[in-house]
Amino acid sequence: MLLEADTLVYDHDKNTVTAVGGVRIDYGGNRLVAQRVAYDRNTGRLVASGNVEIVDSNGTKIYSDEIDVTDDFANGFVNALRVETIDKTYFAAESAERMGGVLTTFNNGVYTACAPCEAQPDRAPIWRIKAQKIIWNGTSKTVRFENSRFEFFGFPIAYVPSFEIADPTVKRKSGFLFPGLKTKSELGFGVAVPYYFALSPTYDLTVTGTGFTKQGFLGEAEWRQRFDSGEYSLKIAGIRQNDPQAFVQPNGRHGVNSGPADDPNRLRGMVGTKGRFDINPRWVFGWDILAQSDQNFAYTYQIDGYSNYIYQSQIYLTGLNDRNFFDLRAMRFEVQSDALNDERRDKEPWVLPVWDYSYIPDEPVWGGELNFGVNLRSVSRSHLDYRPEKPAVRGIDGTSTRLTAEAEWKRSFITDGGLVVTPLLAFQADTTSVSQTQASVDAINNMAARLPTPVETDILSAYYRAMATAGLELRWPVLFSSTSASHVLEPMAQVFARPNERYAAELGIPNEDAQSFVFDATTLFERDKFSGYDRIEGGTRANVGFRYSGSYDNGWATNALFGQSYQLAGRNSFASPDLVNAGAYSGLETDTSDFVGLMGLVSPLGLSASASARLDEHTLEVRRAELKAGYSSSPISVTAQYAFIQAQPLYGFDQDRKEMTLGASSRFHENWRAFGSGTYDFQSGVVTRNSVGFAYDDECFSYTVTMTTKRDANLNPEKREKDVQTFGFNISFRTLGDFGSSTRDLLQ
């Protein structure tokens, strides 16, 4: 024991030692500070008084005017004390007694995780628990409250005879977690009660039971385990529905989970698992798999981690070393639609596998950079993905396998005048095998008959393809500077010489990975503007434009890009329709493309704005446009976005699409904020989505409430679904847990 004090008084008759003035005692990792400490050698007790503070070996601080404690700090008694743990939780009591060094009993005590207000220390915290007895057990790591009441902003809102929580210093402990609320029109009102099993420092189990007023009892269990190299989880859930007919929509549409009393979908469930393991610093293996009794069980019951509307199950192996990359995956997509016998489920493909490999040598090759890549994909589909009303075959039934290898070399030279000259050589080779049924052949022929111009419909079971590219890029960045700003204007030109794309005009060639296609300023200077490998760009093409960037001393910054693309020779790949009409309405289907451009600005005041557009090459009519603006500065932030896409009949959009989204958030107090957003569809004249909410958050408590309304934008009012309202709230008390609902769907 180390003792420091201004004065020590030894009373040999009473066998006591008294320390007075600036007393500090350190013993066994404990520290006591007081104005006066009297030690009775006969009883082994210390009586400290005058602004007493004890800090034990765990970092817990105890404050009082007087404390009676044994010399090993294991037992003691104190009146009018305040305790602050290392995790910033607080106890206060009229008196407390400590026994055996592990059991502390607070009489007429108070517990909270909210720090006291510095300006008004006597003001009640946001929340606190008052109890006749609070028993803190250091062995079982629990805190038990007896005859307790929960107070919110100083007002009692709940009385609980007895309950127990984990020690604030404990991160994992078995016991009931805070209940949750779930509400949905088809399910009714539900209360979820989870129980957590802390079985080991490396694995645990959570079992949750949810009772719904309409559909009965939903059971869930999740096992989680962690290893030195990774972790995995396994989740199961199931229910025997009481009322499958509740899923029939007001317009008479049946859901996949609705039917008569003996409906086989009465019993529903799922199994899901996720995992990720680091094989070594360069290689990662993982999986994310969902298997369920029907196509939307996890979505309907909002099973945590598996409720995405479009769910992607996959197994993957990924390697990354320096500039080399390897990725091998097997994937399955599932649309969790509620439509009865939704054909989209059978139309979603299995991807077994998709493989990407990229290799870039560390050393220059002929003074430039060489990039080598391989892509393999094999897609299988049990049902043809084709709708006669839209002349596009989005996926054939059967199996389509393609292997692609490509290489690219480029080197940049800078002349004395600042001109950057970059020659480029590239080569790509593909081999593909296709197995399709007569249904696919008939659909392709039907599609060809409906296209504006005749095309070939040769159905090939295998084909080989190669594409060589010789390119040259010229860039001349010019700097203009003044005392208050600097500007860089960079004219650019590219020429890519290639042979024609083989099989470009034949509809029998599958297109599985290059269906998403948008031509705008960001893709103007791409060597191959198709998004995947199934389509490749052919013919000789030139891309011309300029880039601009400016910065100002006052903090403002601007940028812009503008240009056009030209088909100089050969067949225009973007004017050659494929199974999904990729390239149609893109602005590249003519020899002289549409104009594309973007501009943006950023200010130090929190203002930002951008605009991008594609304009007709002759009339400058707007074909596609997007405008964005935002302002963020305490306490307000505002965002606005407008999007316009001209009609695309071959894609199934016969009318122009225009949409605007507005959003705002305001922190009107240090801890309070309000937010809202809305989306307006100009074509239907409907606000398709609007939401409002507010939130409170501080170091010990947070609360969020939102209300969202979704509306169907179907132009035919008779076919519109009724509005769906979603209400959600969540309350979080630090150290106690979360309470609230995820969503509430109400049909008006």
Side-chain angles (χ1 to χ4, degrees), residues 379-663:
V379 176
S380 298
R381 187 180 287 101
S382 59
H383 284 71
L384 176 69
D385 189 358
Y386 172 65
R387 285 186 289 175
E389 67 273 13
K390 296 181 180 180
V393 180
R394 293 181 294 184
I396 63 171
D397 55 340
T399 302
S400 169
T401 303
R402 175 189 43 75
L403 175 64
T404 299
E406 63 175 352
E408 181 187 74
W409 175 88
K410 60 183 178 181
R411 181 181 179 182
S412 295
F413 301 88
I414 303 177
T415 68
D416 294 339
L419 179 66
V420 182
V421 181
T422 304
L424 175 147
L425 296 173
F427 181 79
Q428 176 177 328
D430 307 87
T431 177
T432 304
S433 66
V434 181
S435 172
Q436 56 186 321
T437 65
Q438 186 61 40
S440 293
V441 175
D442 294 341
I444 293 172
N445 290 328
N446 183 40
M447 172 188 166
R450 300 176 58 188
L451 291 175
T453 57
V455 295
E456 299 180 26
T457 57
D458 291 342
I459 310 299
L460 302 179
S461 60
Y463 66 90
Y464 306 91
R465 183 178 61 182
M467 178 63 69
T469 302
L472 182 66
E473 178 183 87
L474 303 177
R475 296 186 293 114
W476 190 28
V478 181
L479 172 66
F480 302 90
S481 61
S482 65
T483 57
S484 60
S486 61
H487 308 270
V488 177
L489 182 64
E490 185 179 33
M492 294 182 61
Q494 294 175 329
V495 176
F496 297 111
R498 293 167 289 221
N500 292 332
E501 179 192 3
R502 194 176 182 189
Y503 308 115
E506 298 180 11
L507 291 182
I509 307 302
N511 179 2
E512 294 284 355
D513 71 349
Q515 297 185 6
S516 174
F517 182 79
V518 175
F519 172 54
D520 57 18
T522 62
T523 60
L524 171 63
F525 293 105
E526 293 289 334
R527 173 171 62 87
D528 192 329
K529 297 178 176 57
F530 285 109
S531 57
Y533 292 92
D534 284 344
R535 289 294 307 272
I536 56 178
E537 187 174 338
T540 300
R541 177 171 291 274
N543 304 312
V544 179
F546 70 87
R547 291 189 295 198
Y548 161 80
S549 63
S551 60
Y552 304 82
D553 291 346
N554 58 9
W556 285 72
T558 55
N559 67 284
L561 192 154
F562 187 80
Q564 196 173 23
S565 184
Y566 305 90
Q567 186 74 24
L568 302 181
R571 179 188 296 134
N572 187 347
S573 296
F574 305 103
S576 303
D578 58 19
L579 293 181
V580 294
N581 298 301
Y585 315 107
S586 65
L588 289 167
E589 67 273 17
T590 55
D591 290 344
T592 301
S593 79
D594 289 345
F595 293 102
V596 291
L598 63 81
M599 62 182 64
L601 62 88
V602 178
S603 81
L605 306 176
L607 176 66
S608 61
S610 65
S612 62
R614 178 165 60 86
L615 310 176
D616 183 88
E617 73 272 21
H618 298 298
T619 65
L620 298 183
E621 179 185 5
V622 178
R623 303 291 192 187
R624 189 183 188 103
E626 185 175 27
L627 306 176
K628 295 181 181 179
Y631 174 77
S632 179
S633 180
S634 180
I636 297 174
S637 62
V638 180
T639 60
Q641 180 174 344
Y642 171 81
F644 166 79
I645 303 176
Q646 200 173 54
Q648 299 170 309
L650 289 179
Y651 293 156
F653 302 102
D654 296 327
Q655 299 186 28
D656 296 347
R657 286 172 288 166
K658 294 181 287 185
E659 186 177 87
M660 174 172 284
T661 299
L662 299 175

Side-chain angles (χ1 to χ4, degrees), residues 349-361:
W350 289 86
V351 185
L352 301 170
V354 59
W355 173 45
D356 284 287
Y357 175 72
S358 176
Y359 172 71
I360 302 176

Side-chain angles (χ1 to χ4, degrees), residues 1 198-199 368 618 622 671 680:
M1 177 182 288
L199 303 175
H618 298 298
V622 178
N671 305 111
Y680 179 75

Side-chain angles (χ1 to χ4, degrees), residues 277-327:
F277 290 88
D278 295 324
I279 301 174
N280 56 41
R282 297 182 298 275
W283 289 92
V284 175
F285 172 74
W287 67 88
D288 183 351
I289 300 174
L290 169 65
Q292 52 187 347
S293 59
D294 53 82
Q295 64 194 40
N296 72 337
F297 169 77
Y299 179 77
T300 299
Y301 285 91
Q302 290 295 295
I303 305 300
D304 187 36
Y306 298 91
S307 59
N308 293 343
Y309 183 73
I310 300 177
Y311 198 86
Q312 177 182 341
S313 295
Q314 62 178 333
I315 302 174
Y316 60 89
L317 174 66
T318 299
L320 181 63
N321 183 29
D322 295 331
R323 299 199 294 174
N324 306 323
F325 175 72
F326 176 99
D327 187 86

Side-chain angles (χ1 to χ4, degrees), residues 34-50:
Q35 293 298 318
R36 183 180 186 276
V37 176
Y39 174 52
D40 190 327
R41 292 178 172 178
N42 296 321
T43 62
R45 301 190 71 87
L46 297 171
V47 178
S49 58

